[in-house]
Amino acid sequence: MPCYRCGARQTDPVRGSSPWQRGVRAESQVLICPDCQRLHDLDLDHCGTCGSTALICRLGEVECRSCGSVWMARAGKAPGCPPAMETPPGLSAEVEAALNRVLGRA
């Protein structure tokens, strides 16, 4: 996946951690190259609770790595993040409540 801002491709890193960073933009996971990280305005999504940009997108949810807040990505808005699964019709209320607790749904 290229840098979302400049399109640079990630190369195999030398030993150690990669200098590339991840971010979330329009509720989609993106990569940010080391050159673009120096920019002050990366236009990344912010946590609605704490304002942090340390977000990750997975399984139709966006999670803040700073405060732990989790919210559902809007369906159709995030091409890199699959839409959340809807509860199938006829699912018992008890099972639905358990799924809501596990998935952090309100």
Coordinates of all heavy atoms in Angstrom, one line a residue:
M1 N 0.9 -1.2 0.0 CA 0.0 0.0 0.0 C 0.9 1.2 0.0 O 1.8 1.3 0.8 CB -0.9 0.0 1.3 CG -2.0 1.0 1.3 SD -3.3 0.7 2.4 CE -2.6 0.9 4.0
P2 N 0.7 2.2 -0.9 CA 1.5 3.4 -0.9 C 1.1 4.4 0.1 O 0.1 4.3 0.8 CB 1.2 3.9 -2.3 CG -0.2 3.5 -2.6 CD -0.3 2.1 -2.0
C3 N 2.0 5.4 0.3 CA 1.7 6.5 1.2 C 0.4 7.2 0.6 O 0.3 7.5 -0.6 CB 2.8 7.5 1.2 SG 2.5 9.0 2.2
Y4 N -0.6 7.5 1.5 CA -1.8 8.1 1.0 C -1.6 9.5 0.5 O -2.4 10.0 -0.3 CB -2.9 8.1 2.2 CG -2.8 9.3 3.1 CD1 -3.7 10.4 2.8 CD2 -1.9 9.3 4.1 CE1 -3.6 11.5 3.7 CE2 -1.9 10.4 4.9 CZ -2.7 11.5 4.7 OH -2.7 12.6 5.5
R5 N -0.6 10.2 0.9 CA -0.4 11.6 0.6 C 0.4 11.8 -0.7 O 0.0 12.6 -1.5 CB 0.2 12.3 1.8 CG 0.1 13.8 1.7 CD 0.4 14.3 3.1 NE 0.5 15.8 3.0 CZ -0.5 16.6 3.2 NH1 -1.6 16.1 3.7 NH2 -0.3 17.9 3.1
C6 N 1.6 11.1 -0.8 CA 2.4 11.3 -1.9 C 2.5 10.1 -2.9 O 3.1 10.3 -4.0 CB 3.8 11.7 -1.4 SG 4.7 10.3 -0.7
G7 N 2.0 9.0 -2.5 CA 2.0 7.8 -3.4 C 3.3 7.0 -3.3 O 3.4 6.0 -4.1
A8 N 4.3 7.4 -2.5 CA 5.5 6.6 -2.4 C 5.2 5.2 -2.0 O 4.4 5.0 -1.1 CB 6.5 7.3 -1.5
R9 N 6.0 4.3 -2.5 CA 5.8 2.9 -2.1 C 6.8 2.5 -1.0 O 7.9 2.9 -1.0 CB 6.1 1.9 -3.3 CG 5.1 2.0 -4.4 CD 4.0 1.0 -4.1 NE 2.9 1.1 -5.1 CZ 1.8 0.5 -4.9 NH1 1.6 -0.2 -3.8 NH2 0.8 0.6 -5.8
Q10 N 6.3 1.7 -0.1 CA 7.2 1.2 1.0 C 8.2 0.2 0.5 O 7.8 -0.7 -0.3 CB 6.3 0.6 2.1 CG 7.0 0.3 3.4 CD 6.0 -0.2 4.5 OE1 4.9 -0.5 4.2 NE2 6.5 -0.2 5.7
T11 N 9.4 0.3 0.9 CA 10.4 -0.6 0.5 C 10.7 -1.5 1.7 O 10.4 -1.2 2.9 CB 11.7 0.1 0.1 OG1 12.2 0.9 1.1 CG2 11.5 0.9 -1.2
D12 N 11.5 -2.6 1.5 CA 11.8 -3.5 2.6 C 12.7 -2.7 3.6 O 13.7 -2.1 3.2 CB 12.6 -4.7 2.1 CG 11.7 -5.7 1.3 OD1 10.5 -5.7 1.6 OD2 12.2 -6.4 0.5
P13 N 12.3 -2.7 4.8 CA 13.1 -1.9 5.8 C 14.4 -2.6 6.2 O 14.5 -3.8 6.1 CB 12.2 -1.8 7.0 CG 11.3 -3.1 6.9 CD 11.1 -3.3 5.4
V14 N 15.3 -1.8 6.6 CA 16.6 -2.3 7.2 C 16.1 -2.9 8.5 O 15.0 -2.6 9.0 CB 17.6 -1.2 7.3 CG1 18.9 -1.7 7.9 CG2 17.8 -0.5 6.0
R15 N 16.9 -3.7 9.1 CA 16.6 -4.3 10.4 C 15.9 -3.3 11.4 O 16.3 -2.2 11.4 CB 17.8 -5.0 11.0 CG 18.3 -6.1 10.2 CD 19.4 -6.8 11.0 NE 18.8 -7.6 12.0 CZ 19.2 -8.8 12.3 NH1 20.3 -9.3 11.8 NH2 18.6 -9.5 13.2
G16 N 15.0 -3.8 12.1 CA 14.3 -2.9 13.1 C 12.9 -2.6 12.7 O 12.4 -3.1 11.7
S17 N 12.4 -1.6 13.4 CA 11.0 -1.2 13.1 C 11.0 -0.3 11.8 O 11.9 0.4 11.5 CB 10.4 -0.5 14.3 OG 11.1 0.7 14.5
S18 N 9.9 -0.3 11.2 CA 9.7 0.5 9.9 C 9.5 1.9 10.3 O 8.8 2.2 11.3 CB 8.4 -0.1 9.2 OG 8.2 0.8 8.1
P19 N 10.1 2.8 9.5 CA 9.8 4.3 9.8 C 8.5 4.7 9.3 O 8.1 5.9 9.6 CB 11.0 4.9 9.0 CG 11.3 4.0 7.9 CD 11.0 2.6 8.5
W20 N 7.7 3.9 8.6 CA 6.4 4.3 8.1 C 5.4 4.2 9.3 O 5.6 3.4 10.2 CB 6.0 3.3 7.0 CG 6.7 3.6 5.7 CD1 8.0 3.5 5.5 CD2 6.1 4.0 4.5 NE1 8.3 3.8 4.2 CE2 7.1 4.1 3.6 CE3 4.8 4.2 4.1 CZ2 6.8 4.4 2.2 CZ3 4.5 4.5 2.8 CH2 5.6 4.7 1.9
Q21 N 4.4 5.0 9.3 CA 3.4 5.0 10.3 C 2.0 4.7 9.7 O 1.8 4.9 8.5 CB 3.3 6.3 11.0 CG 4.5 6.6 11.9 CD 4.3 7.9 12.7 OE1 3.4 8.7 12.4 NE2 5.1 8.0 13.7
R22 N 1.1 4.2 10.5 CA -0.3 4.0 10.1 C -1.1 5.1 10.6 O -0.8 5.7 11.7 CB -0.8 2.7 10.7 CG -0.2 1.5 10.0 CD -0.8 0.3 10.6 NE 0.3 -0.7 10.9 CZ 0.2 -1.8 11.6 NH1 -1.0 -2.1 12.1 NH2 1.2 -2.5 11.8
G23 N -2.2 5.4 10.0 CA -3.2 6.4 10.4 C -4.5 6.0 9.9 O -4.7 5.0 9.1
V24 N -5.5 6.8 10.2 CA -6.9 6.5 9.7 C -7.4 7.8 9.1 O -7.3 8.9 9.7 CB -7.9 6.1 10.9 CG1 -9.3 6.0 10.3 CG2 -7.4 4.7 11.4
R25 N -7.8 7.7 7.9 CA -8.3 8.9 7.1 C -9.6 8.5 6.5 O -9.7 7.5 5.8 CB -7.3 9.4 6.1 CG -7.8 10.6 5.4 CD -6.6 11.2 4.6 NE -7.0 12.4 4.0 CZ -7.3 12.6 2.7 NH1 -7.2 11.6 1.9 NH2 -7.6 13.8 2.3
A26 N -10.7 9.2 6.7 CA -12.0 8.9 6.2 C -12.4 7.5 6.6 O -13.0 6.7 5.8 CB -12.1 9.1 4.7
E27 N -12.1 7.2 7.9 CA -12.4 5.9 8.5 C -11.8 4.7 7.7 O -12.3 3.6 7.6 CB -13.9 5.7 8.7 CG -14.4 6.7 9.7 CD -15.9 6.5 10.0 OE1 -16.6 5.8 9.2 OE2 -16.3 7.0 11.1
S28 N -10.6 4.9 7.1 CA -9.9 3.9 6.3 C -8.4 3.9 6.8 O -7.8 5.0 6.9 CB -10.0 4.2 4.8 OG -9.3 3.2 4.1
Q29 N -7.8 2.7 6.9 CA -6.4 2.6 7.3 C -5.6 3.1 6.2 O -5.8 2.7 5.1 CB -6.1 1.2 7.7 CG -4.8 0.9 8.3 CD -4.8 1.1 9.8 OE1 -5.8 0.8 10.4 NE2 -3.7 1.5 10.4
V30 N -4.6 4.0 6.5 CA -3.6 4.5 5.5 C -2.2 4.4 6.1 O -2.0 4.3 7.3 CB -3.9 6.0 5.1 CG1 -5.3 6.1 4.4 CG2 -3.8 6.9 6.3
L31 N -1.2 4.4 5.1 CA 0.2 4.4 5.5 C 0.7 5.8 5.2 O 0.3 6.5 4.3 CB 1.0 3.4 4.7 CG 0.9 2.0 5.1 CD1 1.7 1.1 4.1 CD2 1.4 1.8 6.5
I32 N 1.7 6.2 6.1 CA 2.3 7.6 6.0 C 3.8 7.4 5.9 O 4.4 6.8 6.8 CB 1.9 8.5 7.2 CG1 0.4 8.5 7.4 CG2 2.4 9.9 7.0 CD1 0.0 8.8 8.8
C33 N 4.4 7.9 4.8 CA 5.9 7.7 4.6 C 6.6 8.7 5.5 O 6.0 9.6 6.1 CB 6.2 8.0 3.2 SG 6.2 9.7 2.7
P34 N 7.9 8.4 5.8 CA 8.7 9.2 6.7 C 8.7 10.7 6.2 O 8.7 11.6 7.1 CB 10.1 8.6 6.7 CG 9.8 7.2 6.3 CD 8.6 7.2 5.4
D35 N 8.8 11.0 4.9 CA 8.8 12.4 4.5 C 7.5 13.1 4.8 O 7.5 14.2 5.2 CB 9.1 12.4 3.0 CG 10.5 12.0 2.6 OD1 11.4 12.1 3.5 OD2 10.7 11.5 1.5
C36 N 6.4 12.4 4.6 CA 5.1 13.1 4.8 C 4.8 13.2 6.3 O 4.0 14.1 6.7 CB 4.0 12.3 4.1 SG 4.0 12.5 2.3
Q37 N 5.4 12.4 7.1 CA 5.2 12.5 8.6 C 5.7 13.8 9.1 O 5.3 14.3 10.2 CB 6.0 11.4 9.3 CG 5.3 10.0 9.1 CD 6.2 8.9 9.7 OE1 6.8 9.1 10.7 NE2 6.2 7.8 9.1
R38 N 6.6 14.5 8.4 CA 7.2 15.8 8.8 C 6.2 16.9 8.7 O 6.4 18.0 9.2 CB 8.5 16.1 8.1 CG 9.6 15.1 8.4 CD 10.9 15.5 7.7 NE 11.8 14.5 7.8 CZ 12.2 13.6 6.9 NH1 11.6 13.7 5.7 NH2 13.0 12.6 7.1
L39 N 5.2 16.7 7.9 CA 4.1 17.7 7.6 C 3.3 17.9 8.9 O 3.0 16.9 9.6 CB 3.3 17.4 6.4 CG 4.0 17.2 5.1 CD1 3.1 16.7 4.0 CD2 4.7 18.5 4.7
H40 N 2.8 19.0 9.1 CA 2.0 19.3 10.3 C 0.5 18.9 10.1 O -0.1 18.5 11.0 CB 2.1 20.7 10.8 CG 3.5 21.0 11.2 ND1 4.0 20.6 12.4 CD2 4.5 21.8 10.7 CE1 5.3 21.0 12.6 NE2 5.6 21.7 11.5
D41 N 0.0 19.1 8.9 CA -1.4 18.9 8.6 C -1.5 17.6 7.7 O -1.4 17.8 6.5 CB -2.1 20.1 8.0 CG -3.5 19.8 7.7 OD1 -4.1 19.0 8.4 OD2 -4.1 20.5 6.8
L42 N -1.7 16.5 8.3 CA -1.8 15.2 7.6 C -3.3 14.9 7.2 O -3.5 13.9 6.6 CB -1.2 14.1 8.3 CG 0.3 14.2 8.5 CD1 0.8 13.0 9.4 CD2 1.0 14.1 7.1
D43 N -4.2 15.7 7.7 CA -5.6 15.5 7.5 C -6.1 14.1 7.9 O -6.8 13.4 7.1 CB -5.9 15.8 6.0 CG -7.4 16.0 5.7 OD1 -8.1 16.3 6.7 OD2 -7.8 15.7 4.6
L44 N -5.7 13.7 9.1 CA -6.1 12.4 9.6 C -7.3 12.5 10.4 O -7.6 13.6 11.0 CB -5.0 11.7 10.4 CG -3.7 11.4 9.6 CD1 -2.6 10.9 10.6 CD2 -3.9 10.4 8.5
D45 N -8.1 11.4 10.6 CA -9.2 11.4 11.5 C -8.8 11.6 12.9 O -7.6 11.2 13.3 CB -10.0 10.1 11.4 CG -10.7 10.0 10.0 OD1 -10.6 10.9 9.2 OD2 -11.3 8.9 9.8
H46 N -9.6 12.2 13.8 CA -9.3 12.4 15.2 C -10.3 11.6 16.0 O -11.5 11.5 15.6 CB -9.4 13.9 15.6 CG -8.3 14.7 14.9 ND1 -8.4 15.2 13.6 CD2 -7.2 15.2 15.4 CE1 -7.3 15.9 13.4 NE2 -6.6 15.9 14.4
C47 N -9.9 11.2 17.2 CA -10.8 10.6 18.1 C -11.8 11.6 18.6 O -11.4 12.8 19.0 CB -10.1 10.0 19.3 SG -11.1 9.3 20.6
G48 N -13.1 11.3 18.7 CA -14.1 12.2 19.2 C -14.1 12.4 20.7 O -14.6 13.4 21.2
T49 N -13.4 11.5 21.4 CA -13.3 11.6 22.8 C -12.1 12.4 23.3 O -12.3 13.3 24.1 CB -13.3 10.1 23.4 OG1 -14.4 9.4 23.0 CG2 -13.2 10.2 24.9
C50 N -10.9 12.0 22.8 CA -9.7 12.6 23.3 C -9.0 13.5 22.2 O -8.0 14.2 22.6 CB -8.7 11.6 23.8 SG -8.0 10.6 22.6
G51 N -9.4 13.4 21.0 CA -8.8 14.3 19.9 C -7.5 13.7 19.3 O -6.9 14.3 18.4
S52 N -7.1 12.5 19.8 CA -5.8 11.9 19.3 C -6.0 11.4 17.8 O -7.1 11.1 17.4 CB -5.5 10.7 20.2 OG -4.4 10.0 19.6
T53 N -4.9 11.4 17.1 CA -4.9 10.8 15.7 C -4.4 9.4 15.7 O -4.2 8.8 14.7 CB -4.1 11.7 14.7 OG1 -2.8 11.8 15.2 CG2 -4.8 13.0 14.6
A54 N -4.1 8.8 16.9 CA -3.5 7.4 17.0 C -4.7 6.5 16.9 O -5.1 5.9 17.9 CB -2.8 7.3 18.3
L55 N -5.2 6.3 15.7 CA -6.4 5.4 15.5 C -6.0 4.2 14.6 O -5.0 4.3 13.8 CB -7.5 6.2 14.7 CG -7.9 7.5 15.3 CD1 -8.9 8.2 14.4 CD2 -8.5 7.3 16.7
I56 N -6.7 3.1 14.8 CA -6.6 2.0 13.9 C -8.0 1.6 13.4 O -9.0 1.8 14.1 CB -5.9 0.8 14.6 CG1 -6.6 0.4 15.9 CG2 -4.4 1.1 14.8 CD1 -6.0 -0.8 16.5
C57 N -8.1 1.0 12.2 CA -9.3 0.6 11.7 C -9.2 -0.9 11.4 O -8.3 -1.4 10.8 CB -9.6 1.3 10.4 SG -11.1 0.9 9.6
R58 N -10.2 -1.7 12.0 CA -10.2 -3.1 11.8 C -11.7 -3.6 12.0 O -12.4 -3.2 12.9 CB -9.3 -3.8 12.7 CG -9.6 -3.7 14.2 CD -8.7 -4.5 15.0 NE -9.0 -4.4 16.4 CZ -8.4 -3.5 17.2 NH1 -7.4 -2.8 16.9 NH2 -8.8 -3.4 18.5
L59 N -12.0 -4.6 11.2 CA -13.3 -5.3 11.3 C -14.5 -4.3 11.4 O -15.4 -4.5 12.2 CB -13.3 -6.2 12.5 CG -12.3 -7.3 12.4 CD1 -12.3 -8.1 13.7 CD2 -12.5 -8.2 11.2
G60 N -14.5 -3.3 10.6 CA -15.6 -2.3 10.6 C -15.7 -1.4 11.8 O -16.7 -0.7 12.0
E61 N -14.6 -1.3 12.6 CA -14.6 -0.5 13.7 C -13.3 0.4 13.6 O -12.3 0.0 13.0 CB -14.5 -1.3 15.0 CG -15.7 -2.1 15.3 CD -15.6 -2.9 16.6 OE1 -14.4 -3.2 17.0 OE2 -16.6 -3.2 17.1
V62 N -13.4 1.6 14.3 CA -12.2 2.4 14.4 C -12.0 2.5 15.9 O -12.9 2.7 16.7 CB -12.5 3.8 13.9 CG1 -11.3 4.7 14.1 CG2 -12.8 3.8 12.4
E63 N -10.7 2.3 16.3 CA -10.3 2.3 17.7 C -9.2 3.3 18.0 O -8.3 3.4 17.2 CB -9.8 0.9 18.2 CG -9.4 0.9 19.6 CD -8.9 -0.5 20.1 OE1 -9.1 -1.4 19.4 OE2 -8.3 -0.5 21.2
C64 N -9.4 4.1 19.1 CA -8.3 5.1 19.5 C -7.3 4.3 20.3 O -7.7 3.7 21.4 CB -9.0 6.2 20.2 SG -7.8 7.4 20.8
R65 N -6.1 4.4 20.0 CA -5.0 3.7 20.7 C -4.6 4.6 22.0 O -4.0 4.1 22.8 CB -3.8 3.5 19.9 CG -4.2 2.5 18.7 CD -3.1 1.9 18.0 NE -2.9 0.6 18.7 CZ -2.0 -0.2 18.3 NH1 -1.1 0.1 17.4 NH2 -1.9 -1.4 18.9
S66 N -5.1 5.8 22.0 CA -4.8 6.6 23.2 C -5.7 6.4 24.3 O -5.3 6.2 25.5 CB -4.8 8.1 22.8 OG -3.7 8.4 21.9
C67 N -7.0 6.5 24.1 CA -8.0 6.4 25.2 C -8.8 5.1 25.1 O -9.6 4.8 26.0 CB -8.9 7.6 25.2 SG -10.1 7.6 23.8
G68 N -8.7 4.3 24.0 CA -9.4 3.0 23.9 C -10.9 3.1 23.4 O -11.6 2.1 23.3
S69 N -11.3 4.3 23.1 CA -12.6 4.5 22.5 C -12.8 3.8 21.2 O -11.9 3.7 20.4 CB -12.9 6.0 22.3 OG -14.2 6.3 21.8
V70 N -13.9 3.1 21.0 CA -14.2 2.3 19.8 C -15.5 2.8 19.2 O -16.5 3.0 19.9 CB -14.3 0.8 20.1 CG1 -14.6 0.0 18.9 CG2 -13.0 0.3 20.7
W71 N -15.6 3.0 17.9 CA -16.9 3.3 17.2 C -16.9 2.6 15.9 O -15.9 2.2 15.3 CB -17.1 4.8 17.0 CG -16.0 5.5 16.2 CD1 -16.1 5.8 14.9 CD2 -14.8 6.0 16.7 NE1 -15.0 6.4 14.5 CE2 -14.1 6.6 15.5 CE3 -14.1 6.1 17.9 CZ2 -12.9 7.2 15.6 CZ3 -12.9 6.6 17.9 CH2 -12.3 7.2 16.8
M72 N -18.1 2.4 15.4 CA -18.4 1.7 14.1 C -18.0 2.6 13.0 O -18.4 3.8 13.0 CB -19.8 1.2 14.0 CG -20.3 0.3 15.2 SD -19.3 -1.1 15.4 CE -19.8 -2.1 14.0
A73 N -17.3 2.1 12.0 CA -17.0 2.8 10.8 C -18.3 2.9 10.0 O -19.1 1.9 10.0 CB -16.0 2.1 9.9
R74 N -18.6 4.0 9.4 CA -19.8 4.2 8.6 C -19.7 3.3 7.3 O -18.8 3.4 6.6 CB -20.0 5.6 8.2 CG -20.5 6.4 9.4 CD -20.5 7.9 9.1 NE -19.1 8.3 9.5 CZ -18.6 9.5 9.2 NH1 -19.3 10.4 8.5 NH2 -17.4 9.9 9.6
A75 N -20.7 2.5 7.1 CA -20.8 1.6 5.9 C -20.7 2.4 4.6 O -21.3 3.4 4.5 CB -22.1 0.8 5.9
G76 N -19.8 2.0 3.7 CA -19.7 2.6 2.4 C -18.7 3.8 2.5 O -18.3 4.3 1.5
K77 N -18.3 4.3 3.7 CA -17.5 5.4 3.8 C -16.0 5.0 3.7 O -15.2 5.8 3.3 CB -17.8 6.1 5.1 CG -16.8 7.2 5.5 CD -17.4 8.6 5.1 CE -16.5 9.6 5.7 NZ -16.6 10.8 5.0
A78 N -15.7 3.8 4.2 CA -14.3 3.4 4.3 C -14.0 2.2 3.5 O -14.2 1.1 3.9 CB -14.0 3.1 5.8
P79 N -13.4 2.4 2.3 CA -13.2 1.3 1.4 C -12.1 0.3 1.9 O -12.2 -0.8 1.7 CB -12.7 1.9 0.1 CG -12.2 3.3 0.5 CD -13.0 3.7 1.7
G80 N -11.2 0.8 2.8 CA -10.2 -0.1 3.3 C -10.6 -0.8 4.6 O -9.9 -1.6 5.1
C81 N -11.8 -0.5 5.1 CA -12.3 -1.1 6.3 C -13.6 -1.6 6.0 O -14.6 -0.9 5.7 CB -12.3 0.1 7.3 SG -12.6 -0.5 9.0
P82 N -13.8 -3.0 6.1 CA -15.1 -3.5 5.7 C -16.2 -3.0 6.6 O -16.0 -2.8 7.8 CB -14.9 -5.1 5.9 CG -13.7 -5.2 6.8 CD -12.9 -3.9 6.6
P83 N -17.4 -2.9 6.1 CA -18.5 -2.5 6.9 C -18.9 -3.4 8.0 O -18.6 -4.6 7.9 CB -19.7 -2.3 5.9 CG -19.3 -3.2 4.7 CD -17.8 -3.2 4.7
A84 N -19.4 -2.9 9.1 CA -19.8 -3.8 10.2 C -20.9 -4.7 9.8 O -21.8 -4.3 9.0 CB -20.2 -2.9 11.3
M85 N -20.9 -5.9 10.4 CA -22.0 -6.9 10.1 C -23.2 -6.4 10.8 O -23.2 -6.0 11.9 CB -21.5 -8.2 10.6 CG -20.4 -8.8 9.8 SD -19.9 -10.4 10.4 CE -21.4 -11.3 10.2
E86 N -24.3 -6.6 10.1 CA -25.6 -6.3 10.7 C -26.1 -7.5 11.4 O -25.7 -8.7 11.1 CB -26.6 -5.9 9.6 CG -26.3 -4.6 8.9 CD -26.4 -3.4 9.8 OE1 -27.3 -3.4 10.7 OE2 -25.5 -2.6 9.7
T87 N -26.9 -7.4 12.5 CA -27.4 -8.5 13.2 C -28.5 -9.2 12.3 O -29.4 -8.6 11.8 CB -28.1 -8.0 14.5 OG1 -27.1 -7.3 15.2 CG2 -28.6 -9.2 15.3
P88 N -28.3 -10.5 12.1 CA -29.3 -11.3 11.3 C -30.6 -11.2 12.0 O -30.8 -11.3 13.2 CB -28.7 -12.7 11.3 CG -27.3 -12.6 11.8 CD -27.2 -11.4 12.6
P89 N -31.7 -11.2 11.1 CA -33.0 -11.2 11.7 C -33.3 -12.5 12.4 O -32.8 -13.6 12.0 CB -33.9 -11.1 10.5 CG -33.1 -11.4 9.3 CD -31.7 -11.2 9.7
G90 N -34.1 -12.4 13.5 CA -34.4 -13.6 14.3 C -33.4 -14.0 15.4 O -33.6 -15.0 16.1
L91 N -32.3 -13.3 15.5 CA -31.3 -13.6 16.5 C -31.8 -13.3 17.8 O -32.4 -12.2 18.0 CB -30.0 -12.8 16.2 CG -28.8 -13.1 17.0 CD1 -28.3 -14.6 16.6 CD2 -27.6 -12.2 16.7
S92 N -31.7 -14.2 18.8 CA -32.3 -13.9 20.1 C -31.7 -12.7 20.7 O -30.5 -12.3 20.5 CB -32.0 -15.2 21.0 OG -30.7 -15.2 21.5
A93 N -32.5 -12.1 21.6 CA -32.1 -10.8 22.3 C -30.8 -11.1 23.1 O -30.0 -10.2 23.2 CB -33.2 -10.3 23.1
E94 N -30.8 -12.2 23.8 CA -29.6 -12.5 24.6 C -28.3 -12.6 23.8 O -27.3 -12.1 24.2 CB -29.9 -13.9 25.3 CG -28.8 -14.2 26.4 CD -29.1 -15.5 27.1 OE1 -30.3 -15.7 27.4 OE2 -28.2 -16.3 27.3
V95 N -28.4 -13.3 22.7 CA -27.2 -13.4 21.8 C -26.8 -12.0 21.3 O -25.6 -11.6 21.2 CB -27.4 -14.4 20.7 CG1 -26.3 -14.4 19.7 CG2 -27.6 -15.8 21.3
E96 N -27.8 -11.3 20.9 CA -27.5 -9.9 20.3 C -26.9 -9.0 21.4 O -26.0 -8.3 21.1 CB -28.8 -9.3 19.8 CG -28.6 -7.9 19.2 CD -29.9 -7.4 18.6 OE1 -30.9 -8.1 18.5 OE2 -29.8 -6.2 18.2
A97 N -27.4 -9.1 22.7 CA -26.8 -8.3 23.8 C -25.4 -8.7 24.0 O -24.5 -7.9 24.3 CB -27.7 -8.5 25.0
A98 N -25.1 -10.0 24.0 CA -23.7 -10.5 24.2 C -22.8 -10.0 23.0 O -21.7 -9.5 23.3 CB -23.7 -12.0 24.2
L99 N -23.3 -10.0 21.8 CA -22.5 -9.5 20.7 C -22.2 -8.0 20.9 O -21.1 -7.5 20.6 CB -23.2 -9.8 19.4 CG -23.1 -11.2 18.8 CD1 -24.0 -11.3 17.6 CD2 -21.7 -11.5 18.5
N100 N -23.2 -7.3 21.3 CA -23.1 -5.8 21.5 C -22.0 -5.6 22.6 O -21.2 -4.6 22.4 CB -24.4 -5.2 21.9 CG -25.4 -5.1 20.7 OD1 -24.9 -5.2 19.5 ND2 -26.6 -5.0 21.0
R101 N -22.0 -6.4 23.6 CA -21.0 -6.2 24.7 C -19.6 -6.5 24.2 O -18.7 -5.7 24.4 CB -21.3 -7.1 25.9 CG -22.4 -6.6 26.8 CD -22.4 -7.3 28.1 NE -22.4 -8.8 28.0 CZ -23.5 -9.5 27.8 NH1 -24.7 -8.9 27.8 NH2 -23.5 -10.8 27.7
V102 N -19.4 -7.6 23.5 CA -18.1 -8.0 22.9 C -17.6 -7.0 21.9 O -16.5 -6.6 21.9 CB -18.2 -9.4 22.4 CG1 -17.0 -9.7 21.6 CG2 -18.4 -10.4 23.5
L103 N -18.5 -6.5 21.0 CA -18.1 -5.6 20.0 C -18.1 -4.1 20.4 O -17.8 -3.3 19.6 CB -19.0 -5.8 18.7 CG -18.9 -7.2 18.1 CD1 -19.9 -7.3 17.0 CD2 -17.5 -7.5 17.6
G104 N -18.5 -3.9 21.6 CA -18.5 -2.5 22.1 C -19.6 -1.6 21.5 O -19.4 -0.4 21.4
R105 N -20.7 -2.2 21.0 CA -21.7 -1.4 20.4 C -22.6 -0.8 21.5 O -22.7 -1.3 22.6 CB -22.7 -2.3 19.6 CG -22.0 -2.9 18.4 CD -23.0 -3.8 17.6 NE -22.4 -4.6 16.6 CZ -22.9 -5.7 16.1 NH1 -24.1 -6.1 16.5 NH2 -22.3 -6.3 15.1
A106 N -23.1 0.4 21.2 CA -23.9 1.1 22.2 C -25.3 0.6 22.2 O -25.8 0.1 21.2 CB -23.9 2.6 21.8

